[in-house]
Amino acid sequence: MVVAALPANLCDSVQAPPTAGPAVGVLALQGGYHEHAVMLSRLGCRVSEVRQVPHLEGLDGLVIPGGESTTMGHLAERLPLLEPPR
């Protein structure tokens, strides 16, 4: 099992998208989504931030960062991001 080290600087940027690897979206409504995107890109994923329903197209997976679930729920409901993943 390979365990990736946490970024030394959480302000690191997402690496250039690889030509292969899974396409993974990170729900970017609030909180620490950038750190998730950085780590996923270091692991070889093609990462995109998901803020609207069209951003879900073509993804192999979706990461929903932890955080204030009530706020994220309200935003996801208003945008409407709840139905497509179901």
Side-chain angles (χ1 to χ4, degrees), residues 11-62:
C11 293
D12 287 347
S13 32
V14 174
Q15 296 176 2
T19 56
V24 179
V26 178
L27 190 61
L29 299 180
Q30 74 164 57
Y33 60 86
H34 178 75
E35 292 82 4
H36 287 75
V38 168
M39 186 57 63
L40 288 165
S41 73
R42 287 182 176 184
L43 294 172
C45 297
R46 295 176 287 135
V47 181
S48 60
E49 295 177 356
V50 174
R51 291 190 175 90
Q52 298 177 8
V53 173
H55 299 161
L56 295 167
E57 290 181 31
L59 295 180
D60 298 312
L62 178 66

